[in-house]
Amino acid sequence: MGVFAHEYPNEAGIVRAALASSFVALLLGGVMGLIQALHRTGYVQVIDDSTYYTVLTLHGVSLAILFSIFFLVGFFQWAVTDSLDRPSEDIRFTKLWYALMVLGSIMAAVPILGGFIDQTEISADVLFTFYAPLEAHPLFYAGLAVFIIGTWLAGIDWFRSWWAWKQKNRGEKTPLRTFMVLTTMLMWYLASAGVAIAVIFFLLPWQLGLVGGVNPLLTRTLFWFFGHPVVYFWLMPVYMMWYVILPKLAGGRLFSDPLARIVFVLFLVLSVPTGIHHQYVDPGISEGFKFLAMTNTMFLLLPSLLTAFTVVASIEHGARQRGGSGYFRWLTDLPWNRPAFTGMALAALMFAAAGFSGMVNAGMNFNYLVHNTLWIVGHFHLTVGTAVALSFMASTYWFLPKITGHKVFSKRLGLVQVVVWFIGMVFMSNAMHRIGLAGEPRRTADPFYDGVTFETSLGTISELHAQIALGSVLLVVSLLLFAAHILLSWFNFADKDAPTPDTIPPALSGPEHAPAVLENFRLWTAIAIGLILLTYTLPIAAIVSGNGWFGPVTTFIGDTSSFLTGLFHAVFGVIP
Amino acid sequence: MSSGTEHEASPDTLDEPDDVWEVDIEKQIGHDEYDPVGTLSLITVYFLIIAFLWVFMYFVEFLGRGPTVV
Ligand code: HEM
Ligand SMILES: [Cu+2]
């Protein structure tokens, strides 16, 4: 097998384009992050308080939606083409979904950017959660819908390739990477249905004036139907990197291929019916439903714990093959001088720390302590902001040569970059957690209130604010290093030679040990749908019977809906 | 699948070689000889930290405050 870029030039072109889009969003979002961090801590205020939400929307949408998803579709395209060893069935279709994603991003970005321009009414200062009754220009919602449809088509593209491969390889196990892509995409179809319904049936008609109002609790619940599992859409590609690439970089082999498959199936089955854990303090959803969501969330710990074990064991295998020994001494026998390894390992370490703050978020009682405080922001800068973002950046050092056809500019620079990100995030995230415990809210330009002092247990609030500011500067320095490095590598300024083609070593316990039922995607999807219906039917029925599909406003469609609501009542007579 | 082993010298020494699999492996360890005690140790340490932090959060931060008004 040669270099991917030469074997599959068309596919490599799409992967490069997706990565380029992703990095543009990363840089833009990162600069917004710096503006926010310096603004709300009071150090440098280059914007008015009233523009803060425009900046924060741009930050959330660019990073949580565009950067992450563009990167992962590129990575998945590589994973599928490379592991099935066959080109796209129809490269025009591949180009189509990429083009739709770009179009959707531009449509959504225009109204967000409009928020910076006083002369226009167009804006979308609704943050990446777009809770009604906050209103954005219709183009924003339409853009999101087009973007998501692009990702759906991407999934279809990969299923087509797999199907064609299967015809030629009957009875063989799906290659691990493709298996991971397909389970992730099935999860994504289920998850994104929630936000698609919210956007297409409720928010867009409302902004276009077709219906008189919205039921904010309904669209919010639909958002979180998607909002929790979307984190697995970011994380599952990262798990793929940790399972497939990290052991190889450590000089080891994946501990168990079947275990990796089981983990992905568990994510498919369990990811969605948990979203209500973001709504523990929402009035209008009864405690029983919240408790159910909490229980499901705790079950979701299982695949993450399995991952922790498998990934660490695979890395340890590498260390031992390189001569490592002892209970902890083997840690020194890992290739810490390589940015791809070190970056991903540091990202995984951060993720372990996030496990703790996530446990606090997930508990119904603990949640009251931290809800809507900066603690939450601290938490997800460890997860999506580091476990995902740093893994993506670090893996690029290994991955880029495959799709450009020449080595990266300098591994030493890469090493500095990933370490600076890690240090920056230690400062920023740790301070955010502690400030949050003191009660300082998130999503505010100006957290200083007359007569209110935030009590911190150790150190003062202004010391912690300084740590946020310092951390954010380090993070942006790291981002700029990354951007410069990528440019230098992309255009091959150092005139590097082609990478030596490398292969991924087989797992210690191979796919032949995986039970055949794991390949039964229909079964797992059906179970996932069953669980979703069990967890969501009653809460949604209760929300709708309380306030209608479109809120209390009477409209033609609203009246029709009360008819449907009546049906719900008839079916679930128990609901008040 | 080929894996070239010749490398040209490069000024950035960290750049060579690309693949630790090609140079650094002292001995191959198969499934049956491998006993991941290091993993067990690390995960035990992690578990202890998490358990301690949980207890701290619950008894000090959570119970140590008055009731929340939400
Ligand atoms: C340069 C590095 C970064 C800095 C300095 C930074 C800073 C911040 C700050 C200060 C906030 C909180 C604002 C507030 O609640 O008032 C925030 C929110 C957020 N950040 Fe970051 N961040 C960075 C990178 C990232 C990355 C890499 C991601 C994801 C991939 C991310 C995702 C988010 C999200 C989703 C929010 C929440 C937005 C909202 O509340 O609507 N950030 N960031
Ligand atoms: Cu969640």
Side-chain angles (χ1 to χ4, degrees):
Chain A
M1 203 188 284
V3 177
F4 185 81
H6 304 318
E7 286 201 12
Y8 298 105
N10 294 327
E11 288 73 10
I14 294 287
V15 179
R16 278 197 302 271
L19 256 56
S21 318
S22 161
F23 296 149
V24 170
L26 175 62
L27 199 58
L28 182 68
V31 173
M32 297 302 123
L34 181 65
I35 295 177
Q36 286 152 213
L38 296 180
H39 189 98
R40 60 170 291 154
T41 51
Y43 282 94
V44 182
Q45 304 200 322
V46 291
I47 50 165
D48 287 338
D49 280 2
S50 61
T51 316
Y52 190 78
Y53 265 27
T54 310
V55 172
L56 191 51
T57 308
L58 194 55
H59 180 74
V61 173
S62 319
L63 292 169
I65 310 284
L66 303 182
F67 155 64
S68 51
I69 298 183
F70 269 119
F71 191 97
L72 75 89
V73 294
F75 184 67
F76 276 5
Q77 181 64 51
W78 166 79
V80 169
T81 308
D82 194 59
S83 68
L84 296 180
D85 201 8
R86 64 180 289 126
S88 265
E89 298 316 299
D90 182 351
I91 194 74
R92 285 169 309 175
F93 187 74
T94 311
K95 287 183 178 153
L96 171 73
W97 60 251
Y98 172 70
L100 278 180
M101 288 176 66
V102 173
L103 176 70
S105 315
I106 295 173
M107 285 166 67
V110 165
I112 299 178
L113 294 172
F116 287 113
I117 303 167
D118 292 335
Q119 288 77 14
T120 152
E121 287 289 290
I122 297 177
S123 74
D125 303 335
V126 291
L127 309 183
F128 83 109
T129 43
F130 45 93
Y131 294 146
L134 291 180
E135 299 183 52
H137 190 277
L139 202 55
F140 173 76
Y141 304 107
L144 290 180
V146 171
F147 180 83
I148 287 176
I149 291 170
T151 63
W152 289 349
L153 297 185
I156 292 179
D157 199 11
W158 301 324
F159 268 97
R160 269 177 79 183
S161 288
W162 171 69
W163 194 250
W165 173 89
K166 244 177 118 65
Q167 307 309 314
K168 293 211 169 152
N169 298 271
R170 294 212 171 269
E172 272 188 47
K173 292 265 161 59
T174 305
L176 182 60
R177 279 173 287 163
T178 300
F179 183 91
M180 290 172 159
V181 170
L182 299 184
T183 38
T184 306
M185 291 315 288
L186 288 171
M187 187 283 296
W188 175 241
Y189 285 120
L190 297 178
S192 51
V195 75
I197 291 172
V199 165
I200 296 171
F201 291 103
F202 299 103
L203 297 169
L204 199 53
W206 167 56
Q207 276 312 301
L208 293 171
L210 299 177
V211 296
V214 280
N215 177 342
L217 187 55
L218 176 62
T219 47
R220 192 177 156 94
T221 304
L222 287 171
F223 179 85
W224 286 115
F225 179 101
F226 145 92
H228 184 73
V230 75
V231 312
Y232 294 103
F233 195 40
W234 306 323
L235 271 175
M236 286 160 81
V238 172
Y239 283 7
M240 189 201 293
M241 291 169 179
W242 292 353
Y243 278 111
V244 178
I245 306 176
L246 200 50
K248 179 227 157 65
L249 293 178
R253 289 157 64 182
L254 172 59
F255 189 66
S256 162
D257 171 295
L259 203 56
R261 291 177 197 251
I262 289 172
V263 164
F264 273 68
V265 165
L266 283 172
F267 277 124
L268 163 59
V269 170
L270 293 170
S271 288
V272 182
T274 51
I276 290 179
H277 70 208
H278 291 261
Q279 299 176 282
Y280 285 150
V281 304
D282 278 19
I285 298 180
S286 78
E287 297 294 293
F289 298 142
K290 293 175 183 171
F291 190 82
L292 188 60
M294 173 166 79
T295 313
N296 288 347
T297 306
M298 298 305 172
F299 274 111
L300 210 44
L301 282 177
L302 181 66
S304 293
L305 290 177
L306 288 174
T307 298
F309 169 77
T310 319
V311 171
V312 177
S314 311
I315 295 175
E316 184 190 348
H317 181 250
R320 302 225 179 257
Q321 294 208 115
R322 290 155 58 91
S325 60
Y327 287 99
F328 295 103
R329 218 163 355 110
W330 57 272
L331 286 166
T332 57
D333 288 292
L334 290 167
W336 294 109
N337 59 349
R338 287 160 206 269
F341 175 82
T342 302
M344 282 197 265
L346 292 176
L349 181 65
M350 281 291 205
F351 197 57
F356 167 68
S357 55
M359 228 162 67
V360 171
N361 302 340
M364 276 174 81
N365 49 3
F366 271 149
N367 190 274
Y368 288 113
L369 197 61
V370 296
H371 199 89
N372 271 345
T373 68
L374 220 49
W375 167 287
I376 304 293
V377 184
H379 167 72
F380 61 67
H381 282 84
L382 294 181
T383 55
V384 67
T386 299
V388 174
L390 185 55
S391 292
F392 282 2
M393 289 188 278
S395 69
T396 303
Y397 295 120
W398 176 80
F399 180 53
L400 199 67
K402 304 195 177 319
I403 57 159
T404 56
H406 44 75
K407 292 179 182 167
V408 294
F409 181 70
S410 149
K411 292 202 170 153
R412 202 171 284 136
L413 184 59
L415 198 59
V416 172
Q417 186 262 320
V418 296
V419 171
V420 172
W421 184 277
F422 180 81
I423 297 172
M425 201 51 96
V426 167
F427 276 109
M428 185 170 95
S429 169
N430 175 53
M432 281 175 162
H433 278 97
R434 290 174 54 200
I435 293 179
L437 267 186
E440 189 178 306
R442 66 184 280 206
R443 293 184 158 177
T444 175
D446 179 12
F448 304 96
Y449 309 97
D450 289 340
V452 176
T453 45
F454 296 112
E455 301 286 343
T456 48
S457 22
L458 255 180
T460 64
I461 196 91
S462 47
E463 279 165 23
L464 293 174
H465 278 157
Q467 289 184 28
I468 290 193
L470 171 66
S472 68
V473 170
L474 290 176
L475 286 166
V476 168
V477 167
S478 167
L479 263 191
L480 293 175
L481 285 179
F482 181 71
H485 197 175
I486 293 303
L487 277 180
L488 291 171
S489 306
W490 200 288
F491 298 105
N492 205 7
F493 276 89
D495 224 356
K496 295 271 171 179
D497 16 311
T500 38
D502 55 356
T503 53
I504 291 166
L508 281 174
S509 166
E512 64 282 0
H513 299 294
V517 65
L518 284 178
E519 298 266 323
N520 191 341
F521 294 129
R522 284 210 181 91
L523 173 69
W524 305 119
T525 312
I527 295 180
I529 294 177
L531 277 181
I532 291 172
L533 291 177
L534 271 179
T535 358
Y536 267 104
T537 314
L538 291 181
I540 299 244
I543 289 167
V544 171
S545 57
N547 275 307
W549 292 99
F550 298 93
V553 194
T554 39
T555 56
F556 169 70
I557 300 183
D559 288 338
T560 327
S561 80
S562 54
F563 167 73
L564 293 173
T565 318
L567 270 184
F568 264 115
H569 268 295
V571 180
F572 306 104
V574 279
I575 291 154
Chain B
M1 299 181 198
S2 73
S3 54
T5 36
E6 324 89 298
H7 294 284
E8 282 174 39
S10 153
D12 187 353
T13 47
L14 279 171
D15 262 14
E16 299 291 345
D18 268 351
D19 193 345
V20 292
W21 266 89
E22 287 168 20
V23 277
D24 287 355
I25 306 296
E26 296 186 357
K27 54 176 187 293
Q28 297 258 359
I29 301 176
H31 184 266
D32 296 334
E33 307 110 61
Y34 176 44
D35 187 12
V37 283
T39 302
L40 190 67
S41 320
L42 274 189
I43 289 188
T44 310
V45 170
Y46 177 62
F47 179 78
L48 291 177
I49 296 175
I50 291 261
F52 167 77
L53 284 174
W54 193 91
V55 168
F56 172 80
M57 281 297 283
Y58 188 72
F59 288 99
V60 180
E61 293 288 351
F62 185 68
L63 293 185
R65 299 172 190 227
T68 326
V69 190
V70 187

